[in-house]
Amino acid sequence: MKIKEAIDALEQFAPLPLQESYDNAGLQVGLTEADVSGVLLCLDVTEDVVENAIQKGCNLIVAHHPLLFRGLKQISDADYVQRTAWKAIQHNIAIVAMHTNLDNANNGVNHKIAEKIGLDDVRFLADTRTVSDRFGGLTPTEQLTGGSGIIGKLKQPMKTEDFIRHVKTTFSAKCCMTNQLLERDIQTVAVCGGAGAFLLNEAKRQHADAFITGEMHYHEFFGAEQEIQIMVIGHYESEQFTTQLMQEIIEQRFAGTPVSQHGNTNPIRYWV
């Protein structure tokens, strides 16, 4: 498998046109004609991740969050982004990001979160769209359908505190920030990994009992008391299973390719 073939497999699952306008998913660093010696998956690309790829003999890093989010005017040792890019270039390692295109893809990041929670009857929460297929052979109702967030149902209603504990345990969250505890059972749940506050009103409009996301601002917790249970579990925590999803995509297409996951890249530490 060549690096470009691995990228194509990922982009067939989550086409780049599904990404948000502010994003920079896709190839970040490197050349794509080389054969893949190994793939290292991560949520964030850091110098440690590149060093791990070197030690494992991997020449392709696939990340969720783009290393190059804004344009660079130089590549030096001025900050970790530039140092990381330079180290990858020195060691002929390609870096690819699958960000909001994978968030918005059918069976993408938010669907993986829903799977871990145990939701059924899952559908996109908002902004359902289709994109053109540059590869051919896929129908709009399959992998080319995209949307923002998801909403689904638990098999059985759960008491609010029990559901919060369930989510904390499932995502190994050190804490869960909530608004006032809902005084009814939870069954319909809306989800958006990462920074999902923009979907809170849509979750309320669709009568979700709970809304789970990775981060929200202080003032966004006001005004939903006894309407919806807000649950904020941490950006990294909410998206940590993305590497598992990317591994499934690559291994289904290229069985036998060495694929590994870097592990925790969360820069936030909790003091409890």
Side-chain angles (χ1 to χ4, degrees), residues 3-19 25-27 32 96-98 101 130-140 143-145 253:
I3 289 173
K4 68 178 181 180
E5 292 174 323
I7 296 172
D8 283 352
L10 291 162
E11 291 184 8
Q12 280 183 311
F13 186 92
L16 290 182
L18 286 178
Q19 71 179 313
L27 181 66
T32 63
V96 176
M98 299 295 291
N101 56 319
T130 58
V131 297
S132 60
D133 175 13
R134 73 179 178 90
F135 298 98
L138 299 176
T139 66
Q143 292 170 324
L144 295 184
T145 301
R253 184 76 181 272

Side-chain angles (χ1 to χ4, degrees), residues 23 44 55 80 108 150 162 171 197 211 222-223 233 253 256 267 269:
D23 202 5
D44 311 279
Q55 296 302 318
Y80 92 90
I150 62 90
D162 291 339
F171 293 87
F211 176 67
F222 285 102
I233 62 175
R253 184 76 181 272
R269 299 293 180 267

Side-chain angles (χ1 to χ4, degrees), residues 86-133:
W86 178 240
K87 190 169 189 175
I89 291 168
Q90 284 180 307
H91 292 273
N92 296 312
I93 296 172
I95 299 174
V96 176
M98 299 295 291
H99 192 210
T100 54
N101 56 319
L102 193 56
D103 289 334
N104 295 337
N106 190 31
N107 296 318
V109 174
N110 290 311
H111 288 77
K112 177 60 75 173
I113 296 171
E115 174 192 314
K116 295 297 181 180
I117 295 169
L119 300 183
D120 290 332
D121 302 323
V122 172
R123 57 181 171 77
F124 289 115
L125 180 62
D127 195 23
T128 303
R129 71 200 90 153
T130 58
V131 297
S132 60
D133 175 13

